[in-house]
Amino acid sequence: MTQDPFVSRLRPFLVVWPLIGLAAGLAARWAGHDGLASALWIAASAPVLAVLLAEIVGGLRRGDFGLDIVAALSMSAAIVIGEHLAAAIVALMYAGGQYLEGFAERRAQREMTALLARVPRSAMLHVDGALEEVPVERIEPGDRLLVRRGDVVPVDGRVAGGVAVLDQSALTGESMPVRLGDGDDVLSGSTNAGDAFDLEATRTAADSTYAGVVRLAEEAQRSRAPMARMADQYAMVFLGVTVLLAGLTGWLTAEPVRVVAVLVVATPCPLILAVPVALMAGISRAAKSGILIKSGKALEMLARVRALVIDKTGTLTAGTAHIVDTHVAPGISPSELLRMAASLDQASKHIIAETLVAAARAQGLALSVPTTVEDTPGAGLTGRVDGRLVSVGGFQYVSARVGDAELRKLSRDRHPGAVGVAVAIDGKAAGLIILADTVREGSEELLRRLRAGGIERIVLATGDRMDVARFVSTGLGLDLVRADLTPDQKVLVVLSERKNGPVMMIGDGVNDAPALAAADLGVAMGARGAAASSEAADVVLLVDHLDRILPAMAIARRSRAIALQSVVVGMGLSIAAMLAAAAGHLQPVEGALLQEVIDVAVIFNALRALRG
């Protein structure tokens, strides 16, 4: 049953109180005060039973039935027939099981706080020739803003003079920075990866793109299909068997003591404890492998998924640009071309310049200090390296210095989504360095193993262009490729795939957060992905390896199998004990002791999920 927030806050008290009452009652009985012991046990059970009955009433109004009804029946009957010790034990076992289940969720659930934290709270507004920092709520269409390097664009608008270099990967999935000129539209939620620029607001903050993504994620989280607890699926069967056996015993024997013994043995501790213990053990086991599973319900769903919707940038691909090819003019080697370009690019903070510098250093190239550098923001640089005049930048920037025809001789076909960095040395075209986001190594094998593990359908859903998506997905054996998707369209893709079974969504960007929240199971790349996606997801891969989803699924299936085994065996032993009690072979006290032995057995069996 769904837990009320107020009840959730009471859970620690509901565990400690019956534990204290149970111990105090045992001490009173040991001292010969049986009446006091019974009173203490009733007092220990009463708060748990009261909260339980309130939850049952609320659940019945929603048409929700579960193991709570079995626990309430066992506790109430034990109190009515004078088995107060049994009532206290059931109260402690029930409250403990509920607390364990809630703890597994609370250990990682922070409900979208990072998504909301990324929302810009203020902006730099031009006011009478000066800059004033104002709350984003004050921004109106037509206002002129300054967006500094590294700032998240606070509202939708257009570039008002100059050049904007924006990282839109969190919104669109486009892995390479976008260069926008005067009058071009800018999406809120983009990050300024270049120099500061002016933005003319075209919408208020509340009506802008990023605010819409936040609202969409929150709505998807609220409207997602509930995951049923495994124990609830068996609770009604156990309840029916308990009522039937108790009723038949009373009708056939007319001996109240046998009915009492049946009800005492029927305390549903295997159901109450086995599932949360096994699932928590699985969650702990997964954490050791770098996999954060936020709840027992998520672990159960991970074992059942049949369809996969996967994002491209940062998930199926590495999410960052890499050098994939180099076209060089005669007389210069690829390594020397990279060394010269990277040496000059040390003077730039452009993201592509930083990529070239990092690549050169990774190859162990000795970079020289550039001099007399002229930087044209968003276009390129010109300066001297080792006394030679070097230009690095876009095709148009460099061709203006060496001639279009000369540079085109070095340009050959390259795959969609790639970016060419042109290099000229001493007024002559020296080469092109090709950068692209590449598919993660082993992706084809990973998808094959996912299919072998029970995933029947795999869909690529990306905000990137269709030609890029098709190129990246070549040879991966996907069932469907969807591209040019907005965040709300990704949600629709997830919902449409539900006809094929429970859907798992894997993503890493802010634009993936609504789809992750809407999926039956959301999995986020937490090592490098956006914090928003980690908060919206049910499972977070703490290391930047997509193949971690394979052991996660294996752990989930093993934990669920052990939980199921514990439930079935525990219920079977309890039913056998009820039959023995109905036949007069077990007295109530003996039944209570036998039930605790069964409880211990199923708990130890459930803990096997920690191993393997």
Side-chain angles (χ1 to χ4, degrees):
M1 289 188 179
T2 302
Q3 294 185 9
D4 182 89
F6 175 73
V7 174
S8 296
R9 290 193 293 271
L10 280 179
R11 290 297 177 199
F13 166 78
L14 294 178
V15 174
V16 173
W17 181 257
L19 179 61
I20 294 173
L22 182 62
L26 289 172
R29 173 166 286 188
W30 182 268
H33 302 294
D34 291 350
L36 177 60
S38 294
L40 288 170
W41 289 330
I42 291 173
S45 308
V48 177
L49 181 58
V51 170
L52 181 55
L53 291 173
E55 286 187 314
I56 289 172
V57 171
L60 291 175
R61 288 173 179 169
R62 299 188 301 269
D64 187 4
F65 300 88
L67 63 87
D68 308 299
I69 297 175
V70 186
L73 176 64
S74 302
M75 216 180 306
S76 302
I79 291 174
V80 169
I81 62 182
E83 292 293 332
H84 305 133
L85 174 59
I89 293 172
V90 174
L92 178 60
M93 293 298 102
Y94 175 80
Q98 291 291 290
Y99 182 79
L100 283 173
E101 193 170 23
F103 175 77
E105 284 191 51
R106 291 192 303 272
R107 68 193 296 267
Q109 187 76 8
R110 285 167 289 180
E111 299 181 357
M112 305 286 291
T113 54
L115 177 61
L116 297 175
R118 190 179 182 273
V119 177
R121 305 296 180 188
S122 62
M124 301 302 294
L125 176 66
H126 287 277
V127 180
D128 299 328
L131 287 172
E132 180 182 344
E133 187 169 5
V134 299
V136 293
E137 293 80 9
R138 281 184 50 187
I139 299 173
E140 298 291 340
D143 285 348
R144 191 180 183 94
L145 310 174
L146 175 68
V147 183
R148 299 163 295 187
R149 177 185 290 272
D151 281 354
V152 176
V153 178
V155 297
D156 291 347
R158 62 176 64 93
V159 178
V163 174
V165 180
L166 298 172
D167 177 3
Q168 295 182 330
S169 59
L171 290 172
T172 66
E174 187 83 40
S175 57
M176 305 300 295
V178 177
R179 183 175 181 271
L180 301 177
D182 189 21
D184 288 339
D185 291 331
V186 178
L187 298 176
S188 61
S190 305
T191 301
N192 183 10
D195 294 328
F197 68 94
D198 282 351
L199 177 81
E200 180 186 342
T202 57
R203 291 182 180 178
T204 64
D207 294 332
S208 291
T209 301
Y210 190 72
V213 172
V214 172
R215 286 193 297 271
L216 189 61
E218 291 175 328
E219 290 168 5
Q221 189 99 355
R222 288 193 297 268
S223 63
R224 68 188 309 165
M227 302 181 200
R229 283 158 39 185
M230 180 196 301
D232 289 344
Q233 300 170 13
Y234 296 90
M236 295 312 297
V237 175
F238 192 71
L239 173 62
V241 171
T242 299
V243 172
L244 179 62
L245 279 177
L248 285 175
T249 299
W251 180 54
L252 293 175
T253 67
E255 295 182 25
V257 68
R258 294 195 185 190
V259 177
V260 171
V262 169
L263 292 172
V264 168
V265 173
T267 52
C269 292
L271 284 170
I272 295 169
L273 291 175
V275 173
V277 168
L279 298 186
M280 271 199 65
I283 289 171
S284 298
R285 181 73 185 85
K288 294 178 181 178
S289 299
I291 306 153
L292 177 63
I293 301 176
K294 294 186 177 182
S295 69
K297 295 177 182 179
L299 190 79
E300 286 191 53
M301 184 57 70
L302 184 56
R304 297 172 47 219
V305 290
R306 289 292 176 268
L308 169 63
V309 177
I310 188 168
D311 176 49
K312 180 186 73 68
T313 305
T315 306
L316 195 59
T317 66
T320 56
H322 300 279
I323 297 176
V324 295
D325 199 2
T326 305
H327 306 164
V328 295
I332 186 169
S333 66
S335 60
E336 179 62 12
L337 181 74
L338 176 59
R339 191 189 75 83
M340 297 293 282
S343 294
L344 180 60
D345 273 342
Q346 291 177 104
S348 173
K349 291 186 177 181
H350 193 284
I351 189 170
I352 292 180
E354 293 174 349
T355 299
L356 293 183
V357 172
R361 287 175 175 163
Q363 294 182 24
L365 302 179
L367 302 184
S368 302
V369 178
T371 59
T372 62
V373 178
E374 296 180 3
D375 187 356
T376 303
L381 301 93
T382 296
R384 291 198 173 272
V385 176
D386 297 335
R388 306 181 71 181
L389 184 64
V390 179
S391 295
V392 179
F395 191 93
Q396 291 181 344
Y397 176 84
V398 175
S399 65
R401 286 155 178 76
V402 301
D404 182 83
E406 187 175 357
L407 195 57
R408 286 193 181 278
K409 294 177 183 178
L410 299 174
S411 180
R412 299 193 292 269
D413 292 339
R414 55 179 185 262
H415 70 69
V419 171
V421 178
V423 183
I425 300 176
D426 293 332
K428 296 182 179 180
L432 284 172
I433 300 173
I434 309 302
L435 301 171
D437 187 12
T438 55
V439 175
R440 290 177 183 266
E441 185 177 354
S443 292
E444 184 177 359
E445 172 66 11
L446 169 65
L447 297 182
R448 186 192 65 79
R449 292 176 64 186
L450 284 172
R451 288 190 188 276
I455 301 295
E456 298 169 357
R457 183 172 169 84
I458 302 177
V459 176
L460 176 65
T462 178
D464 216 338
R465 304 191 312 272
M466 178 58 80
D467 59 338
V468 177
R470 290 199 180 281
F471 182 88
V472 166
S473 62
T474 301
L476 295 181
L478 302 175
D479 296 292
L480 180 65
V481 175
R482 296 290 306 276
D484 298 305
L485 299 176
T486 59
D488 56 331
Q489 289 172 331
K490 282 193 175 185
V491 171
L492 293 177
V493 171
V494 167
L495 297 179
S496 67
E497 290 300 323
R498 279 201 176 137
K499 62 181 180 293
N500 300 303
V503 178
M504 174 168 61
M505 166 72 189
I506 304 179
D508 80 321
V510 172
N511 63 325
D512 297 320
L516 289 167
D520 296 299
L521 186 86
V523 179
M525 303 291 292
R528 288 171 49 192
S533 62
S534 296
E535 293 303 323
D538 306 291
V539 178
V540 180
L541 305 184
L542 299 178
V543 292
D544 191 34
H545 296 292
L546 185 57
D547 60 2
R548 289 292 84 196
I549 195 62
L550 293 170
M553 293 175 65
I555 290 168
R557 287 172 178 167
R558 183 171 186 270
S559 300
R560 187 173 186 272
I562 289 173
L564 180 60
Q565 181 188 80
S566 297
V567 167
V568 172
V569 171
M571 285 176 56
L573 292 174
S574 294
I575 291 172
M578 281 191 281
L579 291 172
H585 300 307
L586 283 177
Q587 295 302 307
V589 173
E590 297 170 341
L593 293 174
L594 178 59
Q595 183 60 54
E596 294 314 305
V597 172
I598 295 172
D599 296 343
V600 172
V602 298
I603 289 172
F604 274 104
N605 185 65
L607 288 173
R608 289 192 302 114
L610 283 170
R611 305 190 303 273

